[in-house]
Amino acid sequence: MAAEIHSRPQSSRPVLLSKIEGHQDAVTAALLIPKEDGVITASEDRTIRVWLKRDSGQYWPSIYHTMASPCSTMAYHHDSRRIFVGQDNGAIMEFHVSEDFNKMNFIKTYPAHQNRVSAIIFSLAAEWVISTGHDKCVSWMCTRSGNMLGRHFFTSWASCLQYDLDTQHAFVGDYSGQITLLKLEQNACSVITTLKGHEGSVACLWWDPIQRLLFSGASDNSIIMWDIGGRKGRTLLLQGHHDRVQSLCYLQFTRQLVSCSSDGGIAVWNMDVSREEAPQWLESDSCQKCEQPFFWNIKQMWDTKTLGLRQHHCRKCGKAVCGKCSSKRSSYPVMGFEFQVRVCDSCYDSIKDEECRY
């Protein structure tokens, strides 16, 4: 599935320019070298490689380094030409690449984690390397001394990371579906807030420091936009994928959000259109339409001599309803529901045909 949502018509199909082959296992990270015809890749085959484009138009390996453990993630800082590679064994290795990208020198190893490194961010201003891992923690280490500055632990694997360079705030997504906002200090940190909205593990984050918006994608097939600057919390729920959302990129100048899912689906969201905020789900012991008890409401079931029903939620109004009162399905793109979702019967009747499509 390849979905493009409310974007300009394409006059021609994309053309494959180059294909880089050489790794013997899954490629876990690939980064373009700014202002250079080059690519840096890291792989589960334990190698990090630099590829440069030759006169033939093909990319050829320039340099590579074999690691002690499979490479799980990577960060590259172009101004200082420093590469940080996270590994399956929890270590992070730093390299410096020469100006002509034909030599790579090992700098140091950071014992950041006890398990697989899931994300890395380097801050040149603070000289910190910040990382998350499957040992359920976020760590930040001094790149000058190589010393650990601090760690913060979570109840689940820390899966993804974003960082605001100006304010030193870190966003950490985890496998419980929660996002934690931390203020990092030299030797300590404080929890600012937790963002709860996903029903599955958070797989990816994207931070826009200009508009101060955070985008998160998860295994519940959904994307949430969080208004951090306006302190509003969740503002949009976008559902346009049939599988786990695993990558996000927000183009600030064109106001487009690109999302990719594990089934190969790519969606381009126009964030410049007017959208309605999806409601928070309401909780109730009985259906908020017909007042029939849900299965845990033992007292009302006994009083009315009826069997309890399963609880559902209308995606348009957020009310807790039973299956009989929410038997209809409808798309509602203005609220981010590109596919048909459960709505209560009264909301279904209120949706106009033109509201089901953009």
Side-chain angles (χ1 to χ4, degrees):
M1 187 274 289
E4 181 170 280
I5 299 171
H6 199 72
S7 63
R8 299 182 184 90
Q10 289 187 339
S11 57
S12 60
R13 296 177 65 86
V15 177
L16 178 65
L17 298 177
S18 297
K19 191 174 182 180
I20 298 174
E21 296 179 312
H23 284 292
Q24 304 302 310
D25 208 334
V27 176
T28 52
L31 302 170
L32 293 171
I33 303 173
K35 302 177 184 178
E36 297 282 343
D37 280 330
V39 180
I40 306 172
T41 59
S43 170
E44 296 277 1
D45 66 5
R46 301 190 296 118
T47 65
I48 174 173
R49 302 172 186 250
V50 177
W51 311 78
L52 297 180
K53 193 174 185 179
R54 305 304 183 186
D55 293 339
S56 63
Q58 298 300 312
Y59 286 90
W60 291 94
S62 174
I63 46 178
Y64 78 94
H65 184 89
T66 301
M67 320 286 278
S69 180
C71 305
S72 55
T73 186
M74 177 176 60
Y76 171 63
H77 189 267
H78 183 63
D79 291 342
S80 62
R81 296 193 305 281
R82 295 158 79 175
I83 303 174
F84 297 86
V85 185
Q87 299 176 80
D88 202 53
N89 62 9
I92 297 173
M93 294 184 71
E94 179 185 355
F95 299 89
H96 181 265
V97 185
S98 63
E99 193 170 351
D100 61 2
F101 293 95
N102 282 306
K103 187 177 181 181
M104 183 166 58
N105 295 317
F106 168 72
I107 304 300
K108 63 169 66 77
T109 299
Y110 301 89
H113 298 277
Q114 301 298 315
N115 207 324
R116 185 179 178 90
V117 182
S118 56
I120 302 172
I121 289 177
F122 170 61
S123 170
L124 180 64
E127 283 289 348
W128 290 355
V129 57
I130 309 156
S131 59
T132 54
H134 287 185
D135 55 356
K136 302 180 182 179
C137 84
V138 57
S139 71
W140 55 109
M141 302 188 68
C142 176
T143 53
R144 292 191 181 96
S145 65
N147 293 333
M148 179 70 68
L149 298 175
R151 271 197 181 112
H152 181 82
F153 286 88
F154 306 93
T155 57
S156 302
W157 284 359
S159 51
C160 46
L161 170 70
Q162 287 287 277
Y163 182 68
D164 186 71
L165 297 171
D166 293 333
T167 63
Q168 296 184 325
H169 284 91
F171 301 91
V172 181
D174 64 41
Y175 270 68
S176 74
Q178 182 172 285
I179 302 166
T180 305
L181 173 56
L182 300 166
K183 169 67 174 177
L184 303 186
E185 306 286 354
Q186 186 67 24
N187 294 108
C189 76
S190 54
V191 176
I192 304 302
T193 189
T194 55
L195 305 174
K196 299 178 181 179
H198 285 293
E199 295 182 311
S201 58
V202 181
C204 51
L205 295 171
W206 186 275
W207 170 243
D208 173 27
I210 306 300
Q211 295 180 303
R212 307 198 69 76
L213 298 173
L214 180 71
F215 299 90
S216 59
S219 62
D220 59 6
N221 308 351
S222 71
I223 302 160
I224 294 178
M225 185 181 84
W226 310 85
D227 186 354
I228 304 300
R231 299 173 182 262
K232 294 180 180 178
R234 189 184 85 171
T235 56
L236 286 179
L237 175 64
L238 306 175
Q239 293 188 324
H241 289 285
H242 291 292
D243 211 331
R244 175 179 183 262
V245 180
Q246 60 183 20
S247 183
L248 292 169
C249 178
Y250 179 61
L251 308 175
Q252 202 271 329
F253 293 109
T254 59
R255 295 270 294 162
Q256 289 178 309
L257 176 70
V258 183
S259 57
C260 305
S261 59
S262 58
D263 62 357
I266 301 173
V268 182
W269 306 82
N270 184 355
M271 304 304 292
D272 232 1
V273 300
S274 176
R275 293 184 184 271
E276 294 178 16
E277 180 180 352
Q280 297 287 347
W281 286 1
L282 302 176
E283 296 301 327
S284 176
D285 290 329
S286 57
C287 175
Q288 293 180 304
K289 293 294 183 179
C290 69
E291 298 184 352
Q292 288 293 303
F294 294 131
F295 62 82
W296 61 81
N297 190 349
I298 297 175
K299 183 179 185 304
Q300 188 176 346
M301 284 193 292
W302 178 264
D303 292 342
T304 59
K305 302 297 189 292
T306 57
L307 290 175
L309 304 175
R310 183 183 175 189
Q311 183 191 61
H312 300 283
H313 285 91
C314 172
R315 273 33 173 202
K316 187 174 185 295
C317 68
K319 288 184 178 179
V321 290
C322 67
K324 184 178 179 181
C325 294
S326 58
S327 59
K328 305 291 197 304
R329 302 291 185 274
S330 176
S331 59
Y332 197 55
V334 72
M335 202 173 274
F337 301 118
E338 304 294 337
F339 304 135
Q340 292 195 342
V341 293
R342 180 185 296 272
V343 292
C344 67
D345 293 354
S346 57
C347 282
Y348 180 84
D349 294 336
S350 71
I351 298 174
K352 300 175 182 177
D353 289 342
E354 58 268 23
E355 291 178 321
C356 293
R357 56 186 180 274
Y358 264 156

